[in-house]
Each structure stands twice: as C-alpha cells, then as structure tokens.
Amino acid sequence: MDIQLDSITVEKEQYTVFQNLSVTFREKRWTAVVGQNGVGKSTLLEVVKKLYKPKSGTVTAPDNIGYLFQHADAQFFEPTVEKELQFAPLHFGWSKEKIQQGIAEVLEMVQLDASVLVKSPYQLSGGQKKRLALAVILILQPTVLLVDEPTAGLDPMQKKMMLDVLKKWQLQGNTLICITHEMEEVLAYGDDVYMMKKTGDHQMKTVEECFFKSPDSLLEAGLALPPSVACFHDVQNRLQTPLNPARTNDKLLRSIVEGMKINGILD
Amino acid sequence: MLKCEQVTYRYNETDGIFNISLNIEKGECVALIGLNGSGKSTLLHAMAGLINPQEGSIEWEGEAVRPPKVGIVFQHPDNQFITTSVLDEMVFGLENIGIPREEMLERALAALDQVGMRWALEKHPMQLSGGEKQRVALAAILAMEPDVLLLDEVTSMLDPVAREHFQQIILHLKQKGWTIMYTTHLVEEYLMADRFLMLDHGELVFDGDLEQLASSTQLPMPFTVELQRTFGLNVKASTWKECIDSLWTSN
Ligand SMILES: Nc1ncnc2c1ncn2[C@@H]1O[C@H](COP(=O)(O)OP(=O)(O)OP(=O)(O)O)[C@@H](O)[C@H]1O
Ligand SMILES: Nc1ncnc2c1ncn2[C@@H]1O[C@H](COP(=O)(O)OP(=O)(O)OP(=O)(O)O)[C@@H](O)[C@H]1O
Ligand SMILES: [Mg+2]
Ligand SMILES: [Mg+2]
C-alpha cells in the first residue's frame, strides 16, 4: 500500500517544523527525500514511523515499518553480532529454527559473511556496521523501510555496497524512503524525489523530471544538481540539441562526448 | 611547519597509525584520504594533541601540538558539544583562550553568520538537526582562529548548498594563509586541496598532488577530472565549466 500523510503539522518544543504537509509515497518505489538542513526530513520519517505524534493530521501506513536511524550503527548493545540479530526475533517469540534461517537470509541480503556472527558489533568496519544495523531491521521482514542518510561517512566502496543492498531489497517489491544529501545517489538509485522546501511548498517529482525535464526544481528547493548533470545541461544548451539522459557519471560523459562529436565540437 | 616524525599510535596490534612521517608547510591545504578505518581520525586527533602517540613526535613551529594553536572539528559533532546552548558553545572555547568579552560575542556571531546559524543562538545543541549540528561545530572552531585547522569529515551531513558555502569558506581561509588539513569521502571536495595524503591500514601510502593522485591510483575522481581525462586535457583543479569553455573556444 501507499503511504499517505494528510495535513500534518508538527511542533517540537514550540518550534513549528512543518505545517499542513500532505504527501503520498508510492508503494514499491525508492523515494528520495531531499532538502536543506533543518527543513524537517528526519522529523517527517519520525512521523511516518509514528515515533513522533503530529499536532494535527493523519498518517496512513502499513504497520510493519523498519527505520534505520542515522546513527543506528553506534547503538548496538549486545556482545556479539549474532545476539544483536537474535534480539528482536526472540522478543517476538520466534522459534530457534526460524531465527537461524532469518539470520542466514539477512546476512546474505546485506552482504556480510557468517564469520562476523561471533564478533562484537564494534569490531566491524564503518560500512559493515551500517549494514549490520540494516540487517537487524530487515530480519523482521518489514515491507517499508525508512532510512536516514544511510551513506553519510562511508567510503565510496562501502557506499555502493550499501546502496546496492537497499536497491536489491526494494526491487523485491518493497517500499523505500531514503533521506539523502547525495544527489548523484538519488539519480543513480531513486525513482521519485520528494523535495522539501523552507517555504513549505514541498514537491514530489520523478527522478527523470527532477534532473532532466525541469532541472531548475532542485535549485528552487535550495539544492544543487550534481556536476555531471549540470555539465550535461550546459552542453545541451550550447549545442541546442537534446542529449541522451543517463543515470551515472560515466554514461552522462558518454552522452556529452557523443553530442559534441555529432556537432563538430570534437573530432 | 607541522612536523610528524615516525608517529605511531596503536589501539591494538592491527588498528591505529604506524610510523607516519610528514611535514606540512604553513599555508598548505591538505586532503587526508583513505577508506573507512584507515586511520584518518586517529592521525588528526594526534595532530590536535588529543591523544599521545606511543612513539614519535608531532610539532607545530617547533613546539608540541596543543589547542588553541591547533583546532579540530570532530567527525561526530555530538562529541564536541559540552554546553546547553549554541551561544554558550561558541563562547566557551573563546573564553578558554582568553578572548576579551566584547570581542567574544563579535567573533561568535560572525562565525555563526558564516554557516547560516545565527538564528539558533538560544537552541540546545542537541535539539539541532544533523546538518545544523555540523555547522555549529565548525563555527565554534572557526571563531577560535587556530593556526592549524583540522577538519574531520565536516560536510558529511551538510546539504549541497551548504557544502558549496563550506568550499568558499575554505578557499577564503586558504587565501588568508591558514594551514588546513581535512578528511573527506566526497570526491568533489578533493578540488580544494593543494596536496593529498592517503592512509591505508594506518600507513601513509601516498603523498602528492591531484594530477599524481589521478594517474597513480584507481580512486574515483571528481567529475571535472573525469571530463579532463576523457578530453585528453591536463588534470588540474579547474571546474568542469572552465574545461568545456576551453574546448569550445579551441574549436
Ligand atoms: N527537540 C527539538 N526541539 C526544537 N527544535 C527541534 C527539535 N528537534 C529538531 N528541531 C528543529 O526542527 C527542524 C527540523 O529538524 P530535522 O532534524 O527534521 O531536519 P532535517 O531536514 O532532517 O535536517 P538535516 O538535513 O540537517 O538532517 C530543525 O531546524 C531543528 O533545529
Ligand atoms: N577507540 C578505539 N579503540 C579501538 N580501536 C579503534 C578506536 N578508534 C578507532 N579504532 C580503530 O582504528 C582504526 C582507525 O580508525 P579511524 O577512526 O582513525 O579511521 P578513519 O580513517 O577515520 O575511518 P572513517 O573513514 O570510518 O572515519 C579502525 O580500524 C578503527 O576500528
Ligand atoms: Mg536529518
Ligand atoms: Mg574518521
């Protein structure tokens, strides 16, 4: 099912974070939530997860929602990875066999080797910790996942691994809402983009619209296009002919080169 | 000059930084790069005098490193905050280094303006959003005007426009002659640096400029460098726009 927010107003200690916000997140899509610092992205996810009760408005969402906090990888409390993974299932009264199978599946999903099970969570590297935090959530088989800046602080390789894991999970028919400041990630992995603005005039667009059809919309939200896309539009304007849009820097570069060749700027 | 001589700081047998020797000249702007866990934060903490290496020495202008000559902005802003309001957070450090009262407020406000956080003076630092915390943490150290500025992934939670502002701030400080070392996983931020140091498993494995980094490693590079490579231009820290302009005028 879609996730629907209707006329939501949130106040935190007398500070109005947003007013009368209505939005629909479509099911089975990867929706990137973007916007300037302090615009209310994290608060919005807290409301969807029902961690924070809005002052007014209604939220319609499935019950089984997973939420990967920004610093979830700094909040492990069990002595071993295995215990960390067992904790929630035990709480829900799962059988031993079911837990074991769940752990095997989820480790495979997040690309962690079974050899980490006996380690302390804090012995894992930064990227592994992030994926363990994800595994702890995925073992409960949510159909909706909310993630808050899941790649902040990861090196490029670890970033890609995390994003690939999330993508694979989403493509199995699940719904992902992902807060991020990395526009290149939105372009490469997202389906929809929810742009939150300080003015309250938030907008939902597809990635295609947002980066290629109306690239000014990101600027209007006080954000910026990635350099590859900015360059693509610049060259397109100079040539006065449409170039082939693409989702990665490599491919965008190829479109740019092709366009310049056809128009005699390069030989 | 910031001088590290055979510096080793080990947490255990495998983790830490090992036998690091390097000199950073006054006024240099250096990017410290490397994978997660390669030892970047450990080296910065040692350079700030927050941890004492078991072996070797680190000196700034011939003296052991210490605050406030060397200022560090932490990777996790939560670890930096100690007071209950943004204003106090700003003033605390300035008070400690003996800045006169009148000047304190002036400096604090100017630094908050630089990062767009003056509006939050009375807020509790823990009530701020992730990016807001990171902005205040940066402002608090900028206000202290250290000789050496160490920045540990200080843009990881900033929005794209705030990241652009940050780059402007760094370029401005470079012009003023500050000595700066920063870590980042965001390749677009490579363009601010004159020099790159790369750590791998706690060891220094690369020391050179952007051109050398691009030619001698397989690392992802800023888009403008990819563009330069594709068009057979010399690799340098010019913007993609300058590259495209040059292609257009030469044809
Ligand atoms: N407990 C609180 N009391 C008062 N104000 C708060 C509280 N928590 C958050 N805020 C304010 O609400 C606004 C929205 O915060 P939120 O964390 O949702 O922003 P965000 O869009 O996630 O920002 P970022 O990109 O920096 O993570 C911020 O301006 C923040 O200072
Ligand atoms: N307090 C500590 N006790 C034990 N080991 C530690 C401690 N702090 C860091 N380490 C380990 O030392 C190594 C270097 O860590 P450091 O934080 O310096 O890396 P980094 O390059 O800053 O990584 P990142 O890019 O993730 O911030 C890592 O293997 C880390 O797990
Ligand atoms: Mg947030
Ligand atoms: Mg670090």
Side-chain angles (χ1 to χ4, degrees):
Chain A
M1 71 189 265
D2 291 348
I3 294 169
Q4 244 169 322
L5 276 66
D6 197 20
S7 311
I8 304 281
T9 295
V10 174
E11 278 182 15
K12 283 183 168 175
E13 337 256 337
Q14 282 122 48
Y15 180 87
T16 307
V17 183
F18 41 73
Q19 255 177 325
N20 271 321
L21 180 151
S22 299
V23 61
T24 302
F25 295 101
R26 288 160 67 190
E27 70 167 346
K28 300 182 183 173
R29 313 244 325 156
W30 178 312
T31 306
V33 177
V34 300
Q36 292 192 339
N37 293 135
V39 78
K41 302 179 295 297
S42 298
T43 306
L44 182 73
L45 293 203
E46 285 165 17
V47 169
V48 173
K49 175 72 184 166
K50 304 202 168 94
L51 293 175
Y52 209 91
K53 199 170 153 14
K55 194 176 160 214
S56 59
T58 53
V59 179
T60 320
D63 290 329
N64 192 0
I65 296 183
Y67 186 1
L68 185 66
F69 287 92
Q70 183 149 19
H71 298 296
D73 50 337
Q75 289 162 5
F76 300 117
F77 49 90
E78 293 288 333
T80 66
V81 169
E82 185 166 30
K83 290 221 161 71
E84 197 70 48
L85 286 165
Q86 288 168 339
F87 185 84
L90 280 174
H91 174 81
F92 286 105
W94 289 20
S95 72
K96 254 206 169 119
E97 296 72 47
K98 188 173 171 196
I99 294 178
Q100 254 188 343
Q101 197 193 338
I103 289 181
E105 281 171 12
V106 90
L107 282 183
E108 154 88 34
M109 178 61 104
V110 303
Q111 303 276 302
L112 285 175
D113 193 87
S115 64
V116 301
L117 285 172
V118 295
K119 291 193 181 175
S120 154
Y122 291 99
Q123 281 176 305
L124 304 185
S125 75
Q128 288 179 326
K129 264 189 254 180
K130 273 254 154 67
R131 280 178 279 125
L132 171 61
L134 180 62
V136 167
I137 293 164
L138 291 185
I139 198 166
L140 295 176
Q141 302 174 323
T143 54
V144 176
L145 188 59
L146 314 175
V147 287
D148 201 344
E149 302 185 28
T151 62
L154 297 187
D155 67 49
M157 251 162 49
Q158 295 294 334
K159 249 180 211 176
K160 182 170 184 309
M161 250 171 131
M162 183 73 183
L163 291 165
D164 286 345
V165 165
L166 291 171
K167 191 73 204 175
K168 193 170 163 205
W169 178 83
Q170 177 229 334
L171 289 177
Q172 291 174 349
N174 299 303
T175 307
L176 188 78
I177 306 180
C178 179
I179 298 177
T180 185
H181 292 301
E182 315 301 329
M183 297 303 143
E184 284 176 17
E185 288 177 16
V186 176
L187 179 63
Y189 290 86
D191 299 314
D192 296 327
V193 186
Y194 187 48
M195 286 170 280
M196 296 185 72
K197 301 187 199 175
K198 292 256 158 108
T199 55
D201 172 27
H202 314 306
Q203 281 186 324
M204 182 74 88
K205 290 207 151 104
T206 63
V207 167
E208 191 64 26
E209 284 168 343
C210 181
F211 287 84
F212 297 108
K213 297 211 180 95
S214 47
D216 287 342
S217 49
L218 278 174
L219 304 179
E220 283 157 17
L223 300 169
L225 286 168
S228 53
V229 180
C231 179
F232 173 94
H233 286 292
D234 182 83
V235 171
Q236 189 166 259
N237 287 341
R238 289 177 196 239
L239 295 174
Q240 297 284 315
T241 43
L243 303 177
N244 280 330
R247 296 292 189 105
T248 61
N249 283 359
D250 282 6
K251 290 185 184 155
L252 283 165
L253 249 177
R254 233 174 288 156
S255 298
I256 291 167
V257 171
E258 258 167 46
M260 288 171 73
K261 277 189 180 154
I262 292 172
N263 287 274
I265 304 295
L266 289 176
D267 26 62
Chain B
M1 187 168 73
L2 183 71
K3 195 178 176 74
C4 294
E5 264 184 300
Q6 300 185 318
V7 173
T8 293
Y9 184 95
R10 53 169 70 85
Y11 299 103
N12 51 50
E13 267 166 41
T14 53
D15 297 325
I17 49 174
F18 305 100
N19 201 24
I20 307 269
S21 294
L22 57 95
N23 294 332
I24 294 171
E25 297 299 331
K26 203 170 170 175
E28 265 192 301
C29 181
V30 180
L32 176 64
I33 60 176
L35 301 181
N36 289 128
S38 57
K40 303 179 297 297
S41 297
T42 307
L43 180 57
L44 289 193
H45 285 208
M47 284 180 162
L50 300 175
I51 55 175
N52 283 319
Q54 288 102 350
E55 289 159 41
S57 65
I58 308 181
E59 290 180 347
W60 167 248
E61 305 287 48
E63 287 176 35
V65 284
R66 64 187 156 80
K69 297 243 174 200
V70 181
I72 182 169
V73 181
F74 288 126
Q75 179 165 0
H76 301 291
D78 288 353
N79 297 343
Q80 194 176 312
F81 297 138
I82 31 190
T83 67
T84 55
S85 82
V86 167
L87 182 61
D88 287 349
E89 202 54 51
M90 297 296 298
V91 165
F92 179 81
L94 294 171
E95 215 160 27
N96 269 346
I97 59 172
I99 304 296
R101 281 220 149 264
E102 324 72 78
E103 200 188 325
M104 251 169 21
L105 195 62
E106 210 173 288
R107 278 211 207 179
L109 293 178
L112 285 174
D113 278 339
Q114 272 192 298
V115 298
M117 286 302 293
R118 188 201 273 244
W119 63 273
L121 280 183
E122 284 162 24
K123 275 206 152 182
H124 195 295
M126 290 306 164
Q127 284 180 352
L128 299 174
S129 75
E132 290 168 348
K133 283 180 185 170
Q134 219 162 21
R135 291 169 186 227
V136 171
L138 175 63
I141 303 300
L142 287 180
M144 295 173 68
E145 303 182 0
D147 289 353
V148 182
L149 181 63
L150 305 175
L151 304 169
D152 201 356
E153 281 186 56
V154 297
T155 64
S156 61
M157 295 183 284
L158 295 186
D159 66 56
V161 170
R163 283 180 188 169
E164 280 174 17
H165 285 165
F166 167 77
Q167 298 197 10
Q168 297 309 318
I169 293 175
I170 296 303
L171 293 176
H172 178 68
L173 296 177
K174 263 174 82 166
Q175 279 168 3
K176 292 211 302 188
W178 286 34
T179 306
I180 302 168
M181 180 141 157
Y182 65 94
T183 70
T184 186
H185 291 299
L186 303 171
V187 295
E188 294 302 330
E189 290 181 353
Y190 287 5
L191 299 172
M192 300 180 291
D194 311 317
R195 177 178 168 197
F196 294 81
L197 299 173
M198 183 156 75
L199 294 180
D200 183 21
H201 292 93
E203 290 178 29
L204 186 62
V205 294
F206 178 87
D207 182 354
D209 64 15
L210 182 64
E211 195 183 348
Q212 291 163 326
L213 186 73
S215 63
S216 65
T217 65
Q218 298 293 314
L219 296 177
M221 283 286 135
F223 178 72
T224 182
V225 172
E226 301 292 356
L227 195 71
Q228 290 160 2
R229 285 169 156 174
T230 307
F231 292 129
L233 302 170
N234 288 336
V235 169
K236 53 178 194 244
S238 55
T239 64
W240 62 260
K241 204 153 194 142
E242 288 162 347
C243 300
I244 296 287
D245 279 342
S246 74
L247 289 168
W248 238 266
T249 45
S250 66
N251 286 277

